[in-house]
Amino acid sequence: MFLILIINIFLSTTYPANTINPDRREKFIRAESLYVNNDLFMAEETFKEILRQQQNDDYSFDSMSRLIDIAEKTGDRALFKEILSLLKGVTKSTSEAYNTLLYAIGKYLLQSGDYKTAISFLNGVDKKSEFYPRAVYLKASCLGGLKKYSEAILNFETIITMKNDYATKDIKDAAILDKARIHVLMRKYDEALSEYQKIDSLSRYYLKSLEETARLFITKKDYDQALSHIEALVFINPKLYLPESITNSGNEDTFSDYELMKMKILQG
């Protein structure tokens, strides 16, 4: 009950009253409260009720974005397709809610492996939107999935050099990391190493870059360099490399623990 009250207070300051239809605003606040409290069935029904009024406003766009979140959580592809069908009758907008919706659709499609369709939605995100850098990042990832590596690198480079308040250090470092991975796929190992070295020790991706650099040196059969990187990893955070550890906190990818990687090096 307290959480619902907090959500209501937050939304009352986030979403201004709709003087034309205040009931629409109240329904959205209720739907959002249901969603936050994990009552996804009732949240879905309430968001759909908002959409049945067929108004091209931010409440519609935000409701569709939330329904995509629900579809992602529940694995309901039919619900996602329903949103895509509804979107065909929607007039394009420059509002941030509309940009958020395009980004949410692109993200869902990327995760579903439908890279081409994802790109078509991500291309629609306005350059002034806070989601634009992330949209470019997802587009680059889609291009990588399509094996259009040169185009992927160009898009990652766009993020890295972007002068935009929303292009944070985190997203730029993620782009550097993925740019390095693309070079690895292209077997351009020296270029990949150069990219990995650009990620500094303050980055949340630093451990991951050291890990992948070690793997790359193994591929190059430069075992001395590989071992030095693994020893650096263990020195920085030994808990990540205990035998029972199976994930890297930077990116939540599975990886071999320290002993297994060391054994690979010693085996040559």
Side-chain angles (χ1 to χ4, degrees), residues 173-224:
D173 286 345
I176 292 170
L177 188 67
D178 281 335
K179 184 181 175 186
R181 290 168 172 169
I182 294 293
H183 281 307
V184 171
L185 291 172
M186 297 173 73
R187 298 182 184 277
K188 294 183 176 181
Y189 299 137
D190 290 339
E191 288 88 340
L193 284 172
S194 176
E195 294 301 322
Y196 282 129
Q197 290 167 0
K198 292 176 183 177
I199 298 177
D200 62 56
S201 59
L202 297 177
S203 172
R204 63 182 296 228
Y205 298 102
Y206 182 60
L207 292 178
K208 195 62 182 172
S209 69
L210 290 179
E211 165 80 18
E212 294 186 15
T213 300
R215 290 179 183 276
L216 186 51
F217 278 124
I218 291 172
T219 301
K220 289 167 64 70
K221 298 183 187 285
D222 189 341
Y223 302 123
D224 288 340

Side-chain angles (χ1 to χ4, degrees), residues 64 81-92 121:
M64 283 190 269
K81 289 179 180 179
E82 186 179 341
I83 298 305
L84 285 187
S85 179
L86 286 172
L87 194 60
K88 292 177 182 178
V90 169
T91 304
K92 292 182 179 179
F121 283 97

Side-chain angles (χ1 to χ4, degrees), residues 60-236:
S60 290
F61 302 143
D62 285 330
S63 294
M64 283 190 269
S65 293
R66 273 298 187 226
L67 286 169
I68 291 171
D69 290 338
I70 292 171
E72 188 174 350
K73 284 186 174 185
T74 61
D76 191 345
R77 290 190 60 82
L79 176 59
F80 177 75
K81 289 179 180 179
E82 186 179 341
I83 298 305
L84 285 187
S85 179
L86 286 172
L87 194 60
K88 292 177 182 178
V90 169
T91 304
K92 292 182 179 179
S93 170
T94 58
S95 75
E96 192 64 358
Y98 183 73
N99 286 306
T100 303
L101 175 59
L102 294 180
Y103 175 81
I105 293 172
K107 179 171 169 281
Y108 185 99
L109 290 167
L110 166 62
Q111 293 170 340
S112 301
D114 190 350
Y115 303 127
K116 289 183 179 179
T117 311
I119 289 172
S120 68
F121 283 97
L122 294 168
N123 280 338
V125 176
D126 193 276
K127 289 184 177 181
K128 295 179 181 178
S129 168
E130 69 174 278
F131 284 94
Y132 180 67
R134 281 179 276 178
V136 176
Y137 178 83
L138 292 189
K139 179 182 175 182
S141 300
C142 287
L143 290 166
L146 291 169
K147 298 185 178 180
K148 296 183 177 182
Y149 297 140
S150 295
E151 291 182 53
I153 287 173
L154 284 174
N155 278 270
F156 283 130
E157 189 62 35
T158 296
I159 298 166
I160 295 165
T161 59
M162 192 177 288
K163 299 185 184 303
N164 182 317
D165 291 340
Y166 301 118
T168 63
K169 175 176 172 55
D170 268 0
I171 194 170
K172 288 188 176 187
D173 286 345
I176 292 170
L177 188 67
D178 281 335
K179 184 181 175 186
R181 290 168 172 169
I182 294 293
H183 281 307
V184 171
L185 291 172
M186 297 173 73
R187 298 182 184 277
K188 294 183 176 181
Y189 299 137
D190 290 339
E191 288 88 340
L193 284 172
S194 176
E195 294 301 322
Y196 282 129
Q197 290 167 0
K198 292 176 183 177
I199 298 177
D200 62 56
S201 59
L202 297 177
S203 172
R204 63 182 296 228
Y205 298 102
Y206 182 60
L207 292 178
K208 195 62 182 172
S209 69
L210 290 179
E211 165 80 18
E212 294 186 15
T213 300
R215 290 179 183 276
L216 186 51
F217 278 124
I218 291 172
T219 301
K220 289 167 64 70
K221 298 183 187 285
D222 189 341
Y223 302 123
D224 288 340
Q225 283 286 351
L227 185 57
S228 70
H229 278 76
I230 293 172
E231 288 173 341
L233 282 165
V234 175
F235 177 78
I236 293 169

